[in-house]
Amino acid sequence: MNISELLSTESIFLPSTATTREEAIQQMAAGMKASGAVTNEAAYVDAVMAREQQSSTGIGFGVAIPHGKSAGVAKAALAFSRFAEPIDWESLDDQPAQIAFMIGVPEENAGNEHLQILVALSRKLIHEEFRAELINAQSKQEVIDILTRTIG
Amino acid sequence: MKKLLAVTACPTGIAHTYMAAESLQKAADQKGVPIKVETRGAVGVENGLTAQEIAEAHAIIIAADTDVDEDRFAGKPVIRVAVAQGIKVPGELIDRALAKEASSGLGASPTSRPEENEGRKPNMFYKHLMNGVSNMLPLVIAGGLIIAFSFLFAFTKGGVDQVEGSFGAALSTIGGASMGLMVIVLSGFISFSIAGKPGLAPGLVGGVLAKDMGAGFIGGIIAGFVAGYIAHYLIKTIKMPKNFEGLKPILIVPVLSVLAIGLLMVYVIGQPIEWLLTGLTAWLTNMGAGNAIMLGAILGAMMALDMGGPFNKTAYTFAVGLLGASLYTPMAAVMAAGMTPPLGIWLATVIAKNRFTKEEREAGKVASVLGLSFITEGAIPFGAADPIRVIPSFMVGSAVAGALSMYFGGGLHAPHGGVFVLFIPNAIDHLPQYVLSIVIGTVVTALMVLLLKRKAPAKL
C-alpha cells in the first residue's frame, strides 16, 4: 500500500474556498464520499467534529489534521485542502490553518498498513520543508507526487 | 552526556502521538541531545524503552493524554505534559528535562549496577533497592551528624550520657528521630518504587514493624520488597464491580496491603527474629571468655553483619550486659568493630576515588565522622547498595578490629561515645593499643572493599 491509495484527486481541494472549520471538514468529507472511501458522510463528519470538540486538531505551523474513526468510513482515506484564505482552527499556536489533512479510519480496523502511512505523514508534518512544499504545490498531482516521494 | 527518554500517546493514536514524537526528536537533534521516544499509538507500542535505558536516563518526558505505564519510571525525574505540548514546545520540554536533578545520589552509582547480561530482573531489583537507599541517605547523614554533635555537649559533663533537658539531650533526640526513620523510609520507598503510590503505605508500615522488632536495615529491605509486591499484586488482581471501582484505591488496596504486610512481619518475620536474638545471646554467653580473641572476632563480625539488625543488637547488648559484671573488654571490642565499617568505607573512597561516584565520595566523608562517633549505621547506605560485596568486607574488618582489641586487652567502661570517649581519663584500658586495633580494622575493611568492589565504569 502507498499513500496514493489513500488520497485520490477527488478529495484534494486546491485551493479550498471554505471559510470555517466546519465547512472545510464537510467539504473534505464530501470529497472522500465521492472517491468511495466514505459511505455515510454525516456519521463520519459527526465523528470528526466530536474529535475537534475534545481538543482542536490544529497542531500549529498553519497545519490542521482533523480525523475520525467511524462506521461511516468504508476504507481508510485521506483528504487534503489548501485554503485560499487561512481558516481559524483554534490551533495550539493561535495561527490560522493554511493546509489541512483529514483522516478517515473505519470502525473495524483491517490491518495496520494504512496506519503506518498516516503515522509517517504525521511525523513528516513536523518538518518545515515538507509543509512548505505542500503549501506551494501547484496542482493536485503535485501534492500526490510530493507525498509519494516523501512517504511512499 | 545526559540522555533523555520520552513517551508520547494520544487517545486516537494516529496523529498527535507521532507528531509529538517527531517534534521532540527534532528539537533534541538540534540541541545535540540524545533522546529516544517511545510512541504508544494505534499501531501499538513502538520504539519501547528498556529497563536499562530507563536506568541510564537523566529524565523522562511524558507527553500524553492517556495512560503510559508510568510505574516503570518510579524514582526518575519525570516531566508530564499534554501531548499537544510535545508538538508545541518540544525545545522547552527538553530544556526542562535537562535542568532536572539527576535521579538520586547513590542511585546514580554505576559501580554496583548489575551487569548487562543479568537481564531485566536484577536490574529492576537494583532500581527498587536504590530508590529506598537514596531516600534514606539524608536521614542517616542528618541523624548521624546531629547525634555526633550531641556527644560534644555530653563530653563536657565527663560522661557520655546527656543530662536530661540539656541541649545535648535535645540534639540526641533529634538525631535519634532522624535515624529512627531510616529503616522505615528504606522500606517505604523500595515498596513505592515497585508499586507506585499504593506501595507507600504498606512499605512504611512494614518498615515501622521491622524497626520495632529490631530487624534492622535488612529487615527493612525485606519488608519493602514484600510490601511492594503485595500492593502490586493487589492492584493487578482485584476486580471490583464498576460502581465500586472507586473504593479500590482508597479503601480496599490500602487496608488489605497494610494488613497483609503487617501480619507477615509480625508472625512470619518477627518470631524468627526473636528466636534468633535469644539463641545468639545464649550462644555468646556459653562461649564466655573461653577464647577471648575468637569472641572478639565473632562479636566484631556480628556488629558489621547487619549494622543495627538482630546480630548487631545482640552483640552490643551482650557487651553492655557484661559491663555490669565489670568485664570491659567485650565492650571495647564491640565499639571498635562498630566504628570500622563507616571508617573503612571512608578510607576506601579516599584511596580509590575511581571506584566510587561523586555522591558516594561525599557520603564517604560523612561516614568518617559517623564512624568516629561509633554510629555504625553511617555505613548502611554503602552496605545496602551492594550487600554481596560490601557487607563481607565490613565483617572481616570488624572481626579483625574486635579480635585485636581483645588480644591487646582493650577495655571500655562506657557503652557508647566513639572517639569522644578516648579523651575521658580512665574510660579505656590500654588506650594506644586499642586505637591501633581500630586503625588496623579500618585499613583491613578498606582493603577488602577495594578487593571485592569492581572499578566504576566510565562516566556516561
Side-chain angles (χ1 to χ4, degrees):
Chain A
M1 188 184 268
N2 63 44
I3 198 158
S4 60
E5 289 173 53
L6 296 177
L7 181 65
S8 70
T9 48
E10 286 109 324
S11 49
I12 298 178
F13 298 88
L14 202 76
S16 160
T17 52
T19 52
T20 65
R21 175 159 67 161
E22 287 73 17
E23 200 185 328
I25 289 172
Q26 274 160 5
Q27 193 178 53
M28 286 189 278
M32 288 157 89
K33 181 151 200 241
S35 76
V38 166
T39 47
N40 185 339
E41 202 181 322
Y44 173 55
V45 169
D46 281 350
V48 174
M49 287 310 296
R51 172 64 188 81
E52 291 293 327
Q53 298 314 319
Q54 270 182 22
S55 67
S56 170
T57 59
I59 58 160
F61 348 98
V63 179
I65 40 142
H67 52 274
K69 196 176 190 181
S70 162
V73 179
K75 72 177 189 67
L78 267 179
F80 174 75
S81 292
R82 188 175 76 219
F83 303 114
E85 288 297 323
I87 293 179
D88 174 29
W89 212 283
E90 296 173 22
S91 297
L92 292 171
D93 60 358
D94 297 322
Q95 297 296 310
Q98 289 179 274
I99 56 173
F101 274 100
M102 190 153 92
I103 302 168
V105 178
E107 195 67 57
E108 298 296 323
N109 260 337
N112 272 342
E113 240 186 319
H114 63 281
L115 289 178
Q116 296 291 6
I117 291 170
L118 299 175
V119 163
L121 174 64
S122 298
R123 284 185 176 277
K124 271 287 165 197
L125 282 170
I126 293 299
H127 297 277
E128 201 182 333
E129 318 81 67
F130 179 68
R131 296 195 302 265
E133 275 193 89
L134 288 172
I135 289 170
N136 295 325
Q138 296 303 311
S139 68
K140 293 183 178 189
Q141 192 53 49
E142 194 181 339
V143 170
I144 292 177
D145 289 345
I146 294 167
L147 293 172
T148 312
R149 172 163 44 79
T150 49
I151 294 168
Chain B
M1 179 54 90
K2 291 173 179 174
K3 289 185 194 168
L4 296 182
L5 297 177
V7 183
T8 62
C10 64
T12 326
I14 293 176
H16 286 72
T17 301
Y18 302 96
M19 291 185 177
E22 190 74 14
S23 260
L24 287 165
Q25 184 74 56
K26 185 180 156 196
D29 290 348
Q30 280 168 1
K31 290 173 188 292
V33 179
I35 192 169
K36 177 172 172 183
V37 188
E38 174 182 287
T39 51
R40 303 188 144 230
V43 288
V45 178
E46 289 180 304
N47 210 20
L49 307 177
T50 66
Q52 173 83 17
E53 284 163 345
I54 293 169
E56 287 172 3
H58 178 75
I60 294 132
I61 299 168
I62 299 175
D65 294 341
T66 57
D67 178 50
V68 298
D69 186 11
E70 226 172 302
D71 289 354
R72 60 199 161 132
F73 305 134
K76 280 281 175 184
V78 168
I79 293 175
R80 205 185 194 303
V81 293
V83 69
Q85 298 296 308
I87 302 173
K88 194 179 170 189
V89 289
E92 191 184 307
L93 293 177
I94 286 167
D95 288 341
R96 273 171 62 194
L98 291 173
K100 283 263 179 185
E101 284 289 316
S103 52
S104 54
L106 287 164
S109 152
T111 46
S112 37
R113 179 169 294 144
E115 280 162 31
E116 277 175 42
N117 60 11
E118 282 173 0
R120 188 182 147 84
K121 269 231 146 112
N123 213 335
M124 294 306 285
F125 175 87
Y126 176 73
K127 192 196 94 177
H128 301 320
L129 182 62
M130 286 320 304
N131 192 46
V133 172
S134 62
N135 281 294
M136 166 186 80
L137 189 62
L139 292 166
V140 181
I141 291 177
L145 287 179
I146 292 169
I147 289 176
F149 198 46
S150 80
F151 291 152
L152 287 175
F153 287 82
F155 176 51
T156 55
K157 196 198 145 218
V160 285
D161 288 321
Q162 283 84 7
V163 192
E164 209 167 317
S166 71
F167 187 61
L171 287 179
S172 177
T173 309
I174 296 164
S178 183
M179 293 292 263
L181 279 168
M182 205 170 76
V183 171
I184 299 166
V185 165
L186 176 64
S187 167
F189 280 88
I190 288 173
S191 179
F192 181 78
S193 173
I194 296 168
K197 203 170 127 199
L200 192 57
L204 290 172
V205 172
V208 172
L209 292 170
K211 172 183 173 263
D212 288 352
M213 62 185 51
F217 81 98
I218 294 176
I221 290 174
I222 294 171
F225 274 99
V226 174
Y229 285 112
I230 288 174
H232 184 73
Y233 176 79
L234 290 175
I235 301 162
K236 285 261 146 91
T237 50
I238 293 183
K239 292 276 178 289
M240 298 287 288
K242 244 208 162 99
N243 287 345
F244 298 100
E245 188 60 35
L247 287 179
K248 187 176 145 183
I250 57 164
L251 181 72
I252 310 290
V253 171
V255 172
L256 289 183
S257 62
V258 167
L259 193 61
I261 185 66
L263 291 173
L264 273 174
M265 289 304 288
V266 172
Y267 290 104
V268 181
I269 315 248
Q271 196 56 51
I273 287 180
E274 234 167 83
W275 290 330
L276 186 65
L277 289 172
T278 326
L280 283 172
T281 310
W283 179 61
L284 284 176
T285 315
N286 280 339
M287 273 199 67
N291 184 337
I293 295 172
M294 183 57 90
L295 180 66
I298 288 170
L299 286 174
M302 285 172 70
M303 286 301 287
L305 172 60
D306 53 4
M307 298 179 279
F311 286 91
N312 170 292
K313 285 265 155 57
T314 305
Y316 180 74
T317 316
F318 175 76
V320 173
L322 292 177
L323 288 181
S326 299
L327 270 173
Y328 302 118
T329 47
M331 189 69 241
V334 160
M335 187 167 93
M339 291 170 71
T340 54
L343 286 174
I345 199 84
W346 160 75
L347 186 61
T349 61
V350 172
I351 295 175
K353 290 193 167 60
N354 65 346
R355 304 275 182 100
F356 299 91
T357 61
K358 192 164 171 289
E359 290 82 2
E360 284 176 319
R361 294 201 296 273
E362 291 303 317
K365 288 178 194 159
V366 176
S368 71
V369 178
L370 303 188
L372 289 174
S373 312
F374 182 31
I375 298 170
T376 319
E377 286 88 339
I380 288 183
F382 293 92
D386 192 7
I388 307 297
R389 296 189 186 81
V390 172
I391 289 182
S393 313
F394 287 166
M395 289 173 68
V396 171
S398 291
V400 168
L404 281 175
S405 168
M406 291 298 273
Y407 173 73
F408 290 133
L412 175 63
H413 297 245
H416 214 290
V419 80
F420 302 96
V421 86
L422 304 182
F423 301 105
I424 300 170
N426 301 322
I428 294 180
D429 311 325
H430 304 287
L431 181 61
Q433 294 94 320
Y434 182 58
V435 172
L436 185 65
S437 351
I438 295 174
V439 170
I440 294 174
T442 301
V443 172
V444 170
T445 304
L447 292 179
M448 284 296 296
V449 168
L450 296 179
L451 189 70
L452 293 181
K453 227 171 145 56
R454 276 168 306 168
K455 194 175 165 189
K459 277 274 174 196
L460 298 171

